[in-house]
Amino acid sequence: METLHFSFIIPVYNRPDEIRELLESFTKLKGDFNYHICIVEDGSTIPSESVIAQFDQLNISYYVKENSGPGDSRNYGMSRAEGNYFIILDSDVLLPEDYLEVVHKKLRENFTDCFGGPDAAHESFSKLQKAINFAMTSFITTGGIRGGKDSEKFQPRSFNMGISKKAFEASGGFGTIHPGEDPDLSLRLTNMGFKTQLIKGAYVYHKRRISWSKFYQQVHKFGLVRPILNLWHRKSERFIFWLPTMFSLGLIVSLLLLAFDVEWLLYIYILYFMVAFILALISSKNVVIAVLSVIAIIVQFFGYGYGFLKSTVAIKLLKENPEERFPKLFFKNVQ
């Protein structure tokens, strides 16, 4: 295997404060590694140039282009990067000090052309951020798909994802859909014969500067995208994708049944929420975060479930064109 030369690819849109925090975490990385940082300003009206200029000790390339979405911006950065292995990060993450040591060691032991790492909540995050992190990463909500243990055949998420230059050039990189560009790329890479893996120890702190309404919009889009991915990648379709929809409809039915003195179904939901509360309390050691975690789970399931149902009806039953039905999910390419 050739010597690994990493390039970090970071698209940013109107988030100079996030870039500052992320670059500060770069200055604390352990290990003597030769790496390059490629920041792509995706049509921002609030640029990060003045912030980036303060980190002249880091090897940074800074590009400005018209807005074309995060997937295309990552492609833009990878096509101009210096390294032979690209690590893609969202602008709202922070790196642990040993991040690069963990990635380098694991790829030397078991090289794959693509890897993903999980996300975690930093102690400095707000209670809402920690609650949303629990909802997005807990086994009882997402089944551990965002990173439970080291494994092969993992579908990385682009907030923390590695891809070799070889795999990027062979696949053409990310598509124009967003969100959903990362599982789409992972599935295409697998179909082309490239191997992927989860590196559990290569986690990032995912800040998620978000409100309840933004969180709902985000998971709603995730739900809208999944039937489109199932259409593009027939073998990826799973019954488990229906669970948030079924959960949400079941909760509504359980409340309606109270009018007929039928309570058993609601008791099942109460038991589930109690388990979620206890697990969140054990994890966070904070009652407020535990309560917010239960709310976040409800928002997540309803947002995703409704989006998945709406998209499924449009695509499977009504046979509508995804790009025409949901045009806001698609960006144009920038050369």
Side-chain angles (χ1 to χ4, degrees):
M1 186 183 73
E2 63 181 320
T3 301
L4 291 170
H5 180 193
F6 296 107
S7 279
F8 287 87
I9 312 299
I10 308 165
V12 59
Y13 180 73
N14 290 340
R15 298 289 178 86
D17 290 339
E18 287 184 352
I19 288 296
R20 182 191 304 278
E21 293 176 337
L22 176 52
L23 292 180
E24 285 176 351
S25 71
F26 269 103
T27 65
K28 301 173 184 177
L29 286 180
K30 296 179 180 178
D32 184 20
F33 297 102
N34 179 23
Y35 64 87
H36 165 238
I37 303 171
C38 184
I39 298 175
V40 181
E41 196 84 71
D42 185 25
S44 299
T45 57
I46 309 174
S48 304
E49 185 174 12
S50 61
V51 170
I52 294 169
Q54 299 172 26
F55 293 88
D56 54 2
Q57 73 271 39
L58 298 174
N59 180 17
I60 303 176
S61 295
Y62 175 62
Y63 298 97
V64 179
K65 65 171 189 60
E66 65 178 273
N67 181 254
S68 61
D72 189 60
S73 296
R74 297 180 189 114
N75 294 343
Y76 188 98
M78 286 188 284
S79 66
R80 291 159 175 79
E82 298 174 0
N84 58 16
Y85 206 104
F86 309 133
I87 299 179
I88 299 157
L89 303 173
D90 279 355
S91 63
D92 62 347
V93 305
L94 305 175
L95 297 178
E97 294 180 355
D98 64 347
Y99 178 87
L100 210 45
E101 289 181 327
V102 171
V103 170
H104 184 267
K105 182 176 184 293
K106 190 65 176 180
L107 290 178
R108 294 293 299 179
E109 294 173 349
N110 178 32
F111 181 83
T112 54
D113 283 284
C114 184
F115 79 85
D119 50 350
H122 192 269
E123 61 182 9
S124 66
F125 288 4
S126 70
K127 291 182 174 62
L128 177 58
Q129 288 169 334
K130 291 177 180 178
I132 290 176
N133 180 79
F134 177 85
M136 294 290 285
T137 61
S138 174
F139 180 81
I140 66 168
T141 56
T142 60
I145 63 172
R146 296 174 72 95
K149 59 182 180 179
D150 286 352
S151 63
E152 303 289 341
K153 297 182 179 179
F154 180 68
Q155 290 185 17
R157 297 299 187 262
S158 52
F159 62 84
N160 180 16
M161 175 181 183
I163 178 173
S164 70
K165 184 176 182 178
K166 176 184 176 182
F168 165 66
E169 292 177 342
S171 65
F174 294 95
T176 57
I177 193 171
H178 177 73
E181 69 275 19
D182 32 15
D184 172 55
L185 175 56
S186 298
L187 289 165
R188 287 191 283 114
L189 288 172
T190 299
N191 291 336
M192 296 174 69
F194 290 103
K195 293 183 178 180
T196 65
Q197 68 172 311
L198 166 68
I199 304 178
K200 182 181 179 181
Y203 64 90
V204 297
Y205 298 114
H206 201 175
K207 203 171 186 75
R208 294 192 184 93
R209 298 179 186 275
I210 205 164
S211 63
W212 285 121
S213 62
K214 289 182 179 178
F215 180 50
Y216 176 85
Q217 292 169 13
Q218 182 187 58
V219 293
H220 181 68
K221 287 183 177 180
F222 289 157
L224 290 175
V225 162
R226 177 47 64 177
I228 300 174
L229 296 178
N230 292 342
L231 178 67
W232 294 350
H233 308 279
R234 299 285 186 178
K235 293 182 180 180
S236 71
E237 193 167 0
R238 299 287 186 274
F239 173 75
I240 194 174
F241 298 140
W242 276 100
L243 292 183
T245 303
M246 295 172 63
F247 178 95
S248 303
L249 293 176
L251 182 55
I252 293 173
V253 170
S254 72
L255 295 174
L256 292 176
L257 287 176
L258 289 178
F260 302 95
D261 294 325
V262 178
E263 302 175 345
W264 65 268
L265 184 57
L266 182 60
Y267 289 149
I268 294 176
Y269 279 92
I270 292 173
L271 177 61
Y272 174 84
F273 291 136
M274 289 176 62
V275 172
F277 175 84
I278 292 171
L279 292 177
L281 183 61
I282 293 173
S283 173
S284 66
K285 299 178 176 60
N286 186 289
V287 174
V288 175
I289 294 174
V291 172
L292 292 176
S293 295
V294 173
I295 298 173
I297 290 172
I298 296 172
V299 172
Q300 178 183 353
F301 281 176
F302 269 83
Y304 185 102
Y306 174 53
F308 183 87
L309 180 62
K310 181 167 64 174
S311 184
T312 298
V313 170
I315 293 170
K316 283 201 168 185
L317 296 183
L318 303 180
K319 306 298 182 181
E320 295 184 285
N321 183 297
E323 293 192 40
E324 294 177 357
R325 179 63 179 83
F326 306 109
K328 292 184 178 180
L329 298 178
F330 296 86
F331 285 87
K332 63 181 180 178
N333 284 312
V334 171
Q335 300 298 321

